[in-house]
Amino acid sequence: MIEGIRLRRAHIDLVSPFRTSFGVETTRDLLYLEVFGGGTAGWGECVAMSAPMYSSEYVDGCEDVLRRFLLPEVGSDTTAQSFNAAVEGIRGHYMAKAVLETALLDFWLRCDQVSLATFLGATQPRVRSGVSVGIQPSIDDLVRVVQGYLDDGYLRIKLKIEPGFDIEPVRAVRSTFGDGLLLQVDANSAYHVSDAEHLAKLDDFDLLLIEQPLPEEQVASHAQLAKVVRTPICLDESILSAEVAREAIDIGACSIINIKPARVGGYLEAKKIHDLCFDRGIAVWCGGMLETGIGRAANLALAALPGFTLPGDTSASARYFQRDVTTPFVLRDGHLDVPTGPGIGIDPDLDYLDSITDRMETIAIARG
Ligand code: NPG
């Protein structure tokens, strides 16, 4: 039985600034939820950033929605499934919903001694790891940073691009590291459909995919773009549910999907998207939002499902933090192990977590 929920706000520095087409991240502004009862605790990590630049969500906003609308729906016997049913009428706020869904899933799976990987239907004991490389001050810097990640053993490189930092950086990386490198790019919505001819220049570099070139709302424009650009289009920000995924696939807006559980309201919806794509022959891979070990553990469970045929942005702890809040995830032969313990399969180091915590509050549950 659930006895209460702790909401914790904390912060942790990134090992290096991470620049995308929408901004620079230097510190993760963290929100964790801990659903507890009977000596068991289930954890969730909110992926929203400090400012609404990737999507409309931001971490203080998530806290507000959680306090006003989502946490009041939790009673002593609320499960992830009953929570989702209860909040169906609350529109949007996927990242806020996801952190609570995950903490509930983790709590009940730990009570049942079942791993999240098993619960979701994972078939792989470890997952292939890629790395997302931020926009660098120069092409020389970029080549150096990519070299470092390849030396670490990463199996696929994703380059962040934006207008003015796209064709030439990609050309440099492809020519330096050769045709064998698994390479893809991510624009985070920075282009317009009228840039189609420009983006088609990327076709020369044998990329795995171009991720989210156009704004989130412009799903149909991606279908238009796909007629001009040969490189497969992958959607991230646009895919907010299995329903949107189905429509995007139907109209030819994407041939690959980046699944981020938090972007779609949690792991249950993420699994639906996986299953849909699996049936339709659409490749998927697991995105990342600079998660600490708590969020990373859960993502690895999902990334172990059979449809995840492309390496994800599920990198090792050392790519992000000097010290992670859990036992670090370590890259071995370019892979990360999928946790096997109950729930998300890993516990935070509470002393360390306390040392980076800014404030914490126990929230009484509404019913039961
Ligand atoms: O390795 O976790 C990671 C980061 C992967 O590039 C990554 N995330 O748009 O997919 C994205 C991007 C992102 C970064 C989004 C920061 C939001 C903030």
Side-chain angles (χ1 to χ4, degrees):
M1 288 294 171
I2 297 170
E3 289 161 13
I5 301 183
R6 263 186 293 274
L7 185 153
R8 183 190 289 259
R9 293 296 301 269
H11 65 274
I12 188 169
D13 288 337
L14 294 172
V15 287
S16 54
F18 186 63
R19 184 165 158 223
T20 64
S21 62
F22 59 78
V24 186
E25 307 296 332
T26 52
T27 302
R28 287 295 285 111
D29 192 352
L30 299 163
L31 185 165
Y32 295 105
L33 290 180
E34 192 186 346
V35 169
F36 63 89
T40 297
W43 288 84
E45 174 178 342
C46 183
V47 307
M49 303 289 148
S50 313
M53 309 296 280
Y54 164 82
S55 74
S56 62
E57 289 189 80
Y58 61 104
V59 65
D60 288 346
C62 288
E63 179 173 344
D64 188 64
V65 169
L66 280 159
R67 286 179 183 278
R68 286 177 195 239
F69 301 107
L70 304 179
L71 288 165
E73 293 298 331
V74 178
S76 58
D77 56 0
T78 301
T79 62
Q81 293 82 353
S82 67
F83 167 71
N84 284 343
V87 300
E88 222 180 273
I90 296 172
R91 293 189 197 277
H93 299 288
Y94 305 96
M95 295 175 184
K97 289 172 180 169
V99 57
L100 184 44
E101 187 215 66
T102 310
L104 289 165
L105 262 180
D106 189 34
F107 176 80
W108 291 110
L109 287 170
R110 284 180 196 250
C111 290
D112 292 346
Q113 293 289 305
V114 174
S115 73
L116 179 62
T118 301
F119 169 78
L120 292 172
T123 53
Q124 308 168 54
R126 55 186 206 150
V127 302
R128 288 195 293 162
S129 210
V131 63
S132 174
V133 185
I135 292 170
Q136 302 295 320
S138 73
I139 291 182
D140 285 349
D141 289 316
L142 178 68
V143 168
R144 252 194 312 278
V145 172
V146 170
Q147 180 70 64
Y149 287 134
L150 293 176
D151 293 344
D152 292 341
Y154 285 104
L155 300 175
R156 171 283 256 158
I157 297 289
K158 160 167 139 179
L159 302 181
K160 291 287 189 180
I161 59 167
E162 65 181 1
F165 193 85
D166 45 22
I167 314 298
E168 293 315 315
V170 173
R171 187 193 308 282
V173 169
R174 178 54 90 206
S175 73
T176 307
F177 300 104
D179 292 342
L181 174 67
L182 296 181
L183 185 62
Q184 65 193 55
V185 295
D186 183 5
N188 286 112
S189 316
Y191 294 86
H192 187 265
V193 69
S194 61
D195 297 318
E197 296 297 337
H198 176 73
L199 289 170
K201 293 185 193 151
L202 291 169
D203 288 343
D204 290 345
F205 306 115
D206 194 25
L207 301 178
L208 289 169
L209 57 92
I210 302 177
E211 184 179 354
Q212 195 71 42
L214 311 179
E216 173 183 323
E217 301 81 5
Q218 298 177 14
V219 178
S221 295
H222 283 94
Q224 253 177 281
L225 187 66
K227 296 197 179 102
V228 181
V229 175
R230 269 187 296 109
T231 306
I233 307 279
C234 169
L235 289 179
D236 171 15
E237 285 92 324
S238 293
I239 305 297
L240 299 171
S241 66
E243 223 13 69
V244 179
R246 192 182 56 71
E247 292 196 8
I249 296 166
D250 282 349
I251 64 166
C254 62
S255 50
I256 299 174
I257 289 181
N258 165 346
I259 304 185
K260 281 180 188 159
R263 194 195 61 222
V264 301
Y267 287 84
L268 300 179
E269 190 72 13
K271 159 108 173 119
K272 278 192 210 159
I273 298 177
H274 164 273
D275 294 352
L276 166 86
C277 291
F278 196 66
D279 286 349
R280 303 282 294 265
I282 297 285
V284 301
W285 55 280
C286 186
M289 294 289 284
L290 310 170
E291 289 93 346
T292 65
I294 299 288
R296 189 161 312 279
N299 281 347
L300 286 167
L302 180 76
L305 267 63
F308 285 79
T309 53
L310 292 168
D313 284 344
T314 39
S315 312
S317 297
R319 181 253 174 272
Y320 310 94
F321 314 110
Q322 248 356 307
R323 178 173 174 187
D324 206 337
V325 306
T326 60
T327 308
F329 285 94
V330 178
L331 200 62
R332 265 186 231 101
D333 288 336
H335 293 71
L336 294 187
D337 291 333
V338 177
T340 53
I344 63 170
I346 198 161
D347 295 306
D349 172 339
L350 283 180
D351 288 338
Y352 178 56
L353 193 51
D354 285 346
S355 76
I356 59 165
T357 293
D358 303 310
R359 62 187 162 86
M360 192 161 71
E361 189 185 329
T362 298
I363 294 168
I365 54 168
R367 292 171 275 126

